[in-house]
Amino acid sequence: MKFKLALILLITVPFIAVAQTGGIHSFQNLNSQYNSRTMGLGGDAITIYDNDLNLGLNNPAILNYQMHGRFGFNQSIMSSGVNTGALTYARKIGGTMGMLNFRYSSYGKMKRTDIDGTDLGTFSPGDFILGASAQHSFNKRMSVGATLNILYSQLDSYTAFGTSLDIGGLYRDSARNLNIVGVIKNLGVQWKGYTKEKNPLPLEVQLGISHKLRHAPFRISLVAQHLQKWDLSYVDPNAKAKVDPLTGDTIQVKKTGFFDNLARHGKLQLEILIGKKIQIRTAFDYQRRKELAIVGRGGLAGFSFGAGMAFKRFSIDYGWYIYSAAGSQHGLTLNFLLSKK
């Protein structure tokens, strides 16, 4: 009965939730990339169930007892001095698995001027998230989890404050190496804006499935993103129909078709597991490529790559998250087993 209720929830939520994907939302740093393994998998690594506690930032339902006593340090850099980072710690408390995290986004130094352009020095804006997660297993196959976040942002003398909630569910068939998940991210409110105006948070609904091949070292994941909104394309509102000077035919503004929109909702992730210690990762996000690739210079926009090595009490991961030919993000993660007790 519980499985049926969870399945109904995962199927119906995408059709009843209403939101946009960008442009009008506050605290967009909720969707920033903080973990190197997640970067290598193209973001939103919501389906993988192992001892990497940092993946709990994407889906609290995948927290598990293998993460008990582990600590994660995450750091990434982008161009112009922009960087993100995260600290995570997981611990079992009774029959519940819990995790604390602190995330930040730093945007370097910016020049402060008055209305006439007079130089008044510099300031360093930043966004910060303090979160607590809890996971509960109903049985060996089903679990749910939630993360409560406190959000704070500072832009010079302007500040904003809010709270958000992530809710996730997991169905795990270990005999078939199959995971099915659903996540609702960024439910919440902006309590205080930079001005009197308050904006909604970037709500997102996701579904995912992953499968580890039985006789091959591949784990394949497919994540369906932005399910709260069908049309993810952007059409310039100022674009107008043109007339072909040779034929005289009217060329209408091109609209996104059904299959193009469908592809924008998909994200394909692949991990190559070399023994128990080495992992190679790659992913492709069609939506990211369509939105960020430079015209005529698509390059590797939308692709991501990464690698990791795991030891008994320590692991290290690297991720390369490519936005476009104009920029990318590099991340490094260190995980430590502090205590087994």
Side-chain angles (χ1 to χ4, degrees):
M1 183 63 181
K2 292 179 178 178
F3 174 73
K4 290 182 179 180
L5 290 174
L7 186 60
I8 291 171
L9 176 64
L10 294 181
I11 292 174
T12 57
V13 162
F15 297 98
I16 63 175
V18 178
Q20 301 296 317
T21 59
I24 62 171
H25 298 104
S26 58
F27 297 108
Q28 287 284 0
N29 61 307
L30 284 164
N31 296 326
S32 296
Q33 305 305 319
Y34 294 97
N35 170 248
S36 301
R37 189 175 180 189
T38 299
M39 291 179 201
L41 291 170
D44 301 315
I46 62 175
T47 64
I48 300 172
Y49 185 96
D50 58 18
N51 64 0
D52 188 348
L53 74 164
N54 298 293
L55 298 183
L57 296 174
N58 305 309
N59 180 5
I62 62 177
L63 294 172
N64 60 82
Y65 293 163
Q66 299 178 71
M67 302 173 182
H68 174 73
R70 292 186 177 272
F71 171 80
F73 171 81
N74 305 267
Q75 182 64 46
S76 75
I77 56 173
M78 289 174 276
S79 59
S80 303
V82 178
N83 65 86
T84 65
L87 299 175
T88 56
Y89 178 70
R91 191 165 188 87
K92 179 177 65 175
I93 304 174
T96 301
M97 193 67 203
M99 184 180 76
L100 297 176
N101 78 82
F102 172 74
R103 289 170 276 174
Y104 77 88
S105 299
S106 174
Y107 307 107
K109 289 187 177 181
M110 297 185 180
K111 184 179 292 187
R112 182 191 293 113
T113 63
D114 62 15
I115 194 172
D116 298 316
T118 304
D119 190 348
L120 301 177
T122 61
F123 66 99
S124 300
D127 293 319
F128 307 91
I129 302 173
L130 180 63
S133 305
Q135 178 268 1
H136 176 73
S137 297
F138 297 110
N139 48 51
K140 292 183 178 180
R141 293 194 172 192
M142 291 187 59
S143 63
V144 295
T147 299
L148 177 64
N149 298 306
I150 299 174
L151 315 173
Y152 178 76
S153 180
Q154 182 173 11
L155 299 176
D156 196 11
S157 60
Y158 300 92
T159 59
F161 173 76
T163 54
S164 71
L165 180 68
D166 301 337
I167 303 173
L170 165 69
Y171 175 77
R172 178 170 174 257
D173 187 342
S174 56
R176 298 181 181 178
N177 295 321
L178 180 70
N179 296 334
I180 301 174
V181 304
V183 186
I184 306 173
K185 293 185 174 182
N186 309 328
L187 289 162
V189 295
Q190 182 183 41
W191 298 107
K192 177 183 180 297
Y194 300 118
T195 63
K196 292 182 180 180
E197 182 179 358
K198 299 177 183 178
N199 296 314
L201 271 60
L203 173 71
E204 182 175 358
V205 180
Q206 300 174 337
L207 295 176
I209 183 170
S210 70
H211 177 58
K212 164 64 175 66
L213 302 184
R214 188 178 299 275
H215 301 295
F218 301 116
R219 176 161 47 217
I220 303 171
S221 300
L222 179 62
V223 175
Q225 58 187 348
H226 300 297
L227 295 179
Q228 76 284 352
K229 183 175 186 287
W230 165 245
D231 190 353
L232 300 181
S233 64
Y234 172 78
V235 178
D236 187 349
N238 298 316
K240 298 180 180 179
K242 298 179 181 180
V243 176
D244 191 314
L246 297 177
T247 65
D249 294 335
T250 300
I251 304 173
Q252 300 293 338
V253 178
K254 186 178 180 180
K255 296 183 179 180
T256 303
F258 174 83
F259 290 104
D260 188 86
N261 252 320
L262 182 64
R264 288 170 183 260
H265 285 277
K267 183 178 299 185
L268 185 62
Q269 304 168 334
L270 172 67
E271 279 195 308
I272 304 173
L273 313 175
I274 305 174
K276 295 183 178 181
K277 293 186 177 181
I278 300 176
Q279 297 178 350
I280 306 297
R281 309 177 184 109
T282 188
F284 178 66
D285 186 337
Y286 182 72
Q287 165 71 355
R288 178 156 38 102
R289 182 174 181 84
K290 293 294 288 186
E291 293 300 314
L292 298 180
I294 298 175
V295 177
R297 291 184 58 195
L300 293 175
F303 286 90
S304 300
F305 304 93
M309 293 187 66
F311 305 95
K312 188 174 182 180
R313 302 181 67 93
F314 169 79
S315 66
I316 181 170
D317 293 283
Y318 165 76
W320 182 26
Y321 187 87
I322 304 169
Y323 294 98
S324 71
S328 60
Q329 183 175 3
H330 299 269
L332 183 68
T333 294
L334 303 176
N335 289 326
F336 304 91
L337 177 59
L338 300 182
S339 173
K340 293 184 179 181
K341 297 182 180 180

